[in-house]
Amino acid sequence: MGGFHLVLLLLLFSSLAMVFVLVCGSSSITMNNNVNLPIISFEDGYTPLFGDNNLIIHKDGKLVHLTLDQRTGSGFVSHELYLHGYFSTKIKLPSDYTAGVVVAFYMSNGDMFKKNHDEIDFEFLGNIRGRNWRMQTNFYGNGSTKTGREERYDLWFDPSQDFHQYSILWTDTNIIFYVDNVPIREVKRTESMGGDFPSKPMTLYATIWDGSDWATDGGKYRVNYKYAPYVAEFSDFVMHGCGVDPIEDVAMCYNVLNSKANIMPKHKIEMENFRNNHMTYSYCYDRARYQVPLPECVISFQEAEALRKLDPATYGDGRRHRGGKRRHPQSKGGKEEDASF
């Protein structure tokens, strides 16, 4: 690529929050919270997945309601497959008693790769009245669903009172999860992970469904439909990624495949503060589950100490552990989850 064309590209993308700098087959991504990526309408990026009338589009495609009632949940899916990029939406969760209700914003290729699918998840796990929703992040690569990599968090706000932004940045070297532009988790790909790092094209999904069997205290508290309908609201859709032709399996994004995402120092401090103050579970410190931390784990003394104070059994000697996989039907969201809560 000539130097003149490179300069033009740098000028073009310097105004974006995520910059793809194309240089000799590799690129870098710089996050800048002061600049916004374009917001698209629902119709431009997504299509209904299930739920019929439980999915309602408002305000010319700028707002979508997903509803769970006794009849069904609901969900939508992106038009395109993507291999890497930045994907975001604002969500307002149902309020009051939400035990057993699961709202998810995630990437997956489970419909294409039944036995070796990849996945990157934001999941909101409901709660009983008087307690805030709990949020979980997770990822799978190459069908590694028996190796859960969950982290769970409390939030510094009530996610049912207003819209908040949830974002996924996925490159071939790392994954970063953001809440309101604050990075809360970074997963760096290591050679020893092998195929456990998501590496195949995925579509985006958003769903609301009944997770009574596992979502709240391992199924102790179930969905109570006298509080239905449960409505999750989605807006401000951002899809800035590398589209893939599903037939030819060709990525149409010019070298974004070899990209690297960097977190600025001040945002690293924000991430450390969030994790030390709001993380309530991390597989990296669960000694009962994994006697040796998985290869991507970067152990932090501060995180370990904060979790040990919350649950000495799990994060101390590891003598107590509840776990296991449960499968859920596609009509409820179609996701395989860990039940260790």
Side-chain angles (χ1 to χ4, degrees):
M1 178 179 292
F4 176 73
H5 292 91
L6 176 59
V7 171
L8 288 179
L9 285 168
L10 286 171
L11 290 173
L12 175 63
F13 290 116
S14 62
S15 63
L16 298 177
M18 182 174 63
V19 182
F20 293 97
V21 185
L22 312 182
V23 184
C24 299
S26 65
S27 58
S28 63
I29 299 174
T30 303
M31 299 301 298
N32 182 345
N33 295 338
N34 296 321
V35 183
N36 296 320
L37 288 167
I39 295 172
I40 63 173
S41 69
F42 175 83
E43 291 87 350
D44 286 340
Y46 292 98
T47 190
L49 177 63
F50 71 99
D52 301 323
N53 294 332
N54 279 12
L55 186 155
I56 301 176
I57 302 171
H58 299 273
K59 298 182 179 179
D60 296 327
K62 295 179 181 179
L63 176 68
V64 175
H65 286 183
L66 292 183
T67 297
L68 168 68
D69 56 27
Q70 258 180 315
R71 182 177 61 90
T72 183
S74 52
F76 56 83
V77 61
S78 64
H79 295 307
E80 292 191 49
L81 283 161
Y82 294 94
L83 184 62
H84 309 137
Y86 177 80
F87 310 98
S88 179
T89 187
K90 288 187 176 180
I91 306 173
K92 183 179 179 183
L93 297 170
S95 60
D96 204 356
Y97 183 97
T98 56
V101 178
V102 178
V103 175
F105 174 62
Y106 64 104
M107 305 187 73
S108 177
N109 49 33
D111 57 336
M112 298 176 62
F113 301 95
K114 300 296 184 183
K115 297 183 179 180
N116 62 333
H117 85 282
D118 305 304
E119 196 166 304
I120 303 173
D121 303 327
F122 266 111
E123 297 168 304
F124 304 90
L125 305 179
N127 222 325
I128 60 176
R129 180 185 282 122
R131 299 181 186 177
N132 283 342
W133 281 77
R134 293 170 305 151
M135 184 181 72
Q136 173 171 289
T137 61
N138 200 1
F139 73 95
Y140 305 124
N142 203 32
S144 58
T145 55
K146 293 183 179 179
T147 307
R149 290 175 160 93
E150 303 92 337
E151 288 189 354
R152 290 187 288 278
Y153 325 88
D154 293 327
L155 295 166
W156 64 92
F157 53 81
D158 182 346
S160 69
Q161 294 302 303
D162 204 351
F163 285 91
H164 292 271
Q165 185 179 17
Y166 305 93
S167 310
I168 297 168
L169 175 60
W170 171 41
T171 80
D172 65 348
T173 59
N174 61 349
I175 300 165
I176 305 173
F177 296 87
Y178 296 85
V179 176
D180 288 341
N181 287 321
V182 175
I184 65 165
R185 179 182 184 182
E186 179 180 20
V187 179
K188 293 185 178 180
R189 184 177 192 168
T190 65
E191 185 176 348
S192 56
M193 290 179 70
D196 282 4
F197 189 89
S199 58
K200 298 186 292 295
M202 293 188 279
T203 46
L204 280 109
Y205 295 84
T207 57
I208 184 170
W209 51 287
D210 186 331
S212 290
D213 289 343
W214 66 276
T216 305
D217 289 353
K220 180 179 179 180
Y221 300 100
R222 304 178 67 83
V223 174
N224 188 335
Y225 283 101
K226 79 175 185 179
Y227 297 103
Y230 297 97
V231 180
E233 304 177 58
F234 292 77
S235 69
D236 290 22
F237 305 106
V238 175
M239 304 171 76
H240 191 78
C242 178
V244 174
D245 186 316
I247 298 177
E248 298 182 7
D249 195 22
V250 175
M252 297 167 284
C253 56
Y254 307 105
N255 301 321
V256 176
L257 305 181
N258 299 316
S259 55
K260 186 180 296 184
N262 299 311
I263 301 177
M264 297 174 63
K266 67 176 182 178
H267 299 315
K268 285 186 177 180
I269 295 173
E270 291 178 334
M271 182 168 67
E272 290 172 1
N273 289 337
F274 173 85
R275 296 175 66 79
N276 292 333
N277 293 309
H278 297 284
M279 186 166 65
T280 60
Y281 177 84
S282 171
Y283 71 102
C284 285
Y285 303 96
D286 189 338
R287 294 187 179 183
R289 193 175 183 187
Y290 301 115
Q291 293 184 356
V292 178
L294 296 181
E296 71 278 2
C297 289
V298 178
I299 302 302
S300 161
F301 172 79
Q302 289 81 6
E303 291 178 7
E305 184 62 15
L307 289 173
R308 187 190 64 78
K309 290 179 180 179
L310 285 175
D311 187 349
T314 299
Y315 305 110
D317 59 22
R319 292 177 183 173
R320 186 182 71 215
H321 177 63
R322 293 178 295 163
K325 297 289 182 181
R326 305 181 189 272
R327 286 194 176 273
H328 306 280
Q330 184 65 34
S331 63
K332 296 297 185 183
K335 293 169 60 55
E336 182 182 82
E337 304 298 344
D338 187 272
S340 56
F341 293 88

